[in-house]
Amino acid sequence: MSRTMRTYMLLATLAADSKAKLCGNIADIVFVIDSSSSIWEPYFKQQLQFVQQMVKTFDVSQKKTRIGAINFSNRVVREFHLKTHDSKERVLSAISEVEYTAGDSTNTNEALMVLRTEYFTERSGDRSDVPNIAILLTDGESTLMAETVKEANLNKETGLSMFAIGIGHNVNEEELTLIASAPKADFMYILKNVTELQTEAFTQLISHKACKILKNDTNEEKCTRIVDMVFVIDSSRSIWINYFKQQLEFVKHLVSAFDVGQGKTRIGAINFSDRHMTEFHLNSFDSKEDILNAVSNVQYTAGGTTNTFDALRLLRTEAFSAVNGDRSDIPNIAILLTDGESSNMASTVKEAKLTREAGVTIFGIGIGDKINKEELEQIASSPTSDHMHILESFTELQAGDFVKRIIDVTCKGKELYLHG
């Protein structure tokens, strides 16, 4: 089922009960509004009407929910900051005065940089003890996708919840997926046209999702179980760079679910293709923030072959060793991500067996239609129903239900995880 079809189904579900209750929870919310020339001026004004309808669903004031707005195309217009207006009426009036710039490019990356460095700052009215939410509206793809994804990731790493709403047939779904927070089913939407953006049902849908964030209903329960966990990440050239980055987003989401520290859960990472490298060891970092930054900095190598066996050997002989931070009394877990089959199945199966016999529980996650199911079954620990997963796409890797399933299984305290 496509993202667009899921959105339509949600709209249909909400249509019967579209009268919203006012969200009384508190947040700092910034709207990021596309004003490029590909959007006709009447459609731009419909975006503003959607923003106004959204604002009406919140209890707006400086002591409650604060609202800011950014207008972007080839340049970024700082419409108003979180501290600028102290009432809903003034915010609504300011939105009605936002002007259509008709810029000849879509510099989404610059808008997201301004969002992070200027808007969600104490100087501009951001509050450290209040959830940060951004709602991005666009009708196409950015001029510089790589920079846009980079800036989106930097925003999300600060704890920002990012809604990405694409309108029309020129939207780049892959880019929108990388911009949005996880789970994507809650934060990424593609609409057929601006008319759908203006439906009361869609306004209530986004308001409802945002209000759930305010109540912290979308945060997974943190896993307090202590493990030594190493991620083994496929970087072969069969994976496009943007899909590689989606792997990193998945890794960061899992890391965020654990209580990380040298006296708690430790995290390591290996990157492999025709060559293999340790990105960081279990004892490299002391904090979750440092680990998340390190994951963001993992480089795509685009190697010509997939030497999974070398990565598994490195996992067993170096990553899970005392000198590199492995603890003999703590369960060892490896999460291997790949989009195909290894260059040498016999050697890969052999190394996987040796790794499991050393007490490492291996999760084998295959993405796409090039996966060798037989090989993945022989890599993963038993039962394969828990430890082997084949996904249709990298977008599915970001799905909230899948991420939660992996978190739930890794957080179980089963005897099979213990090693000697």
Side-chain angles (χ1 to χ4, degrees):
M1 184 184 299
S2 70
R3 175 75 57 187
T4 303
M5 185 60 68
R6 282 197 292 268
T7 299
Y8 293 158
M9 290 180 68
L10 283 167
L11 294 179
T13 301
L14 288 173
D17 183 22
S18 60
K19 297 296 182 183
K21 293 181 180 179
L22 183 71
C23 179
N25 293 291
I26 297 174
D28 291 334
I29 303 175
V30 178
F31 292 90
V32 186
I33 307 164
D34 190 346
S35 184
S36 54
S37 58
S38 57
I39 300 175
W40 291 2
E41 187 169 6
Y43 295 162
F44 175 75
K45 290 180 178 178
Q46 285 181 274
Q47 285 189 113
L48 299 185
Q49 290 167 6
F50 166 76
V51 174
Q52 288 177 314
Q53 291 305 313
M54 282 291 297
V55 170
K56 290 177 182 178
T57 67
F58 291 92
D59 193 359
V60 178
S61 73
Q62 285 297 298
K63 291 184 178 180
K64 296 178 181 177
T65 289
R66 297 180 180 180
I67 305 290
I70 294 171
N71 182 4
F72 74 97
S73 56
N74 59 328
R75 59 191 177 94
V76 178
V77 181
R78 297 147 178 86
E79 297 293 347
F80 54 91
H81 290 288
L82 292 163
K83 68 177 183 180
T84 305
H85 300 298
D86 59 4
S87 72
K88 183 179 295 187
E89 291 72 21
R90 291 183 178 180
V91 170
L92 293 172
S93 177
I95 293 167
S96 67
E97 294 173 2
V98 173
E99 294 185 354
Y100 174 58
T101 64
D104 58 3
S105 58
T106 308
N107 291 340
T108 317
N109 58 302
E110 292 184 10
L112 292 175
M113 181 174 65
V114 169
L115 180 72
R116 175 174 54 86
T117 61
E118 297 184 31
Y119 270 68
F120 286 116
T121 63
E122 183 178 359
R123 181 179 67 256
S124 295
D126 180 51
R127 296 163 288 182
S128 61
D129 59 340
V130 169
N132 288 347
I133 300 172
I135 300 176
L136 173 81
L137 298 163
T138 185
D139 80 324
E141 61 183 331
S142 67
T143 305
L144 297 171
M145 179 172 171
E147 289 300 312
T148 294
V149 172
K150 175 184 175 182
E151 288 298 335
N153 287 336
L154 289 171
N155 271 283
K156 289 182 287 187
E157 285 166 10
T158 68
L160 174 73
S161 295
M162 180 89 71
F163 287 87
I165 301 173
I167 308 147
H169 63 276
N170 291 321
V171 170
N172 184 330
E173 181 172 354
E174 179 187 335
E175 180 180 65
L176 217 61
T177 300
L178 294 169
I179 291 173
S181 294
K184 305 302 173 182
D186 285 342
F187 290 96
M188 196 269 274
Y189 301 88
I190 296 177
L191 305 179
K192 189 184 298 182
N193 52 46
V194 288
T195 302
E196 289 182 355
L197 181 69
Q198 286 200 298
T199 61
E200 188 175 5
F202 186 70
T203 300
Q204 302 310 332
L205 171 63
I206 302 302
S207 178
H208 174 70
K209 296 293 185 182
C211 208
K212 283 186 68 178
I213 295 170
L214 309 187
K215 295 185 291 186
N216 295 320
D217 289 346
T218 57
N219 293 332
E220 295 93 350
E221 183 178 347
K222 298 300 180 183
C223 179
T224 57
R225 182 166 181 254
I226 297 175
V227 298
D228 289 336
M229 182 183 296
V230 178
F231 293 90
V232 186
I233 307 164
D234 191 345
S235 185
S236 54
R237 68 184 176 200
S238 58
I239 299 176
W240 291 3
I241 186 168
N242 294 317
Y243 295 159
F244 176 76
K245 289 178 179 178
Q246 284 183 268
Q247 289 186 113
L248 300 186
E249 286 298 304
F250 169 77
V251 171
K252 288 192 288 187
H253 203 140
L254 254 64
V255 170
S256 297
F258 285 82
D259 193 3
V260 175
Q262 284 302 300
K264 300 172 184 176
T265 286
R266 296 181 180 180
I267 305 290
I270 292 170
N271 185 2
F272 75 97
S273 56
D274 52 355
R275 56 195 175 97
H276 55 281
M277 64 190 78
T278 299
E279 295 292 340
F280 52 91
H281 288 298
L282 292 164
N283 56 3
S284 294
F285 299 110
D286 294 327
S287 73
K288 182 179 295 186
E289 181 180 3
D290 287 341
I291 291 169
L292 292 173
N293 287 335
V295 173
S296 293
N297 291 327
V298 173
Q299 297 296 307
Y300 174 58
T301 64
T305 55
T306 307
N307 293 344
T308 316
F309 55 94
D310 280 337
L312 290 169
R313 185 183 302 121
L314 182 68
L315 178 73
R316 175 173 54 85
T317 61
E318 294 186 28
F320 287 120
S321 64
V323 69
N324 290 318
D326 181 50
R327 296 163 290 183
S328 61
D329 58 339
I330 298 296
N332 286 348
I333 297 176
I335 298 181
L336 181 139
L337 298 160
T338 184
D339 81 325
E341 61 182 333
S342 69
S343 57
N344 189 323
M345 179 173 169
S347 294
T348 295
V349 170
K350 175 184 175 183
E351 288 298 334
K353 184 173 183 291
L354 290 171
T355 302
R356 293 194 308 271
E357 288 174 349
V360 179
T361 297
I362 303 176
F363 286 77
I365 301 175
I367 307 120
D369 58 3
K370 301 293 193 297
I371 295 298
N372 183 330
K373 183 178 179 181
E374 179 186 352
E375 181 180 64
L376 205 63
E377 284 178 335
Q378 295 190 64
I379 290 173
S381 293
S382 296
T384 54
S385 59
D386 279 344
H387 300 102
M388 187 195 82
H389 303 274
I390 297 178
L391 308 178
E392 291 183 2
S393 67
F394 284 87
T395 300
E396 194 175 342
L397 186 66
Q398 300 280 354
D401 54 351
F402 178 71
V403 173
K404 186 178 187 303
R405 183 177 180 186
I406 300 300
I407 291 170
D408 287 346
V409 176
T410 54
C411 204
K412 288 179 182 177
K414 291 184 176 180
E415 289 294 326
L416 62 90
Y417 288 132
L418 298 177
H419 59 97

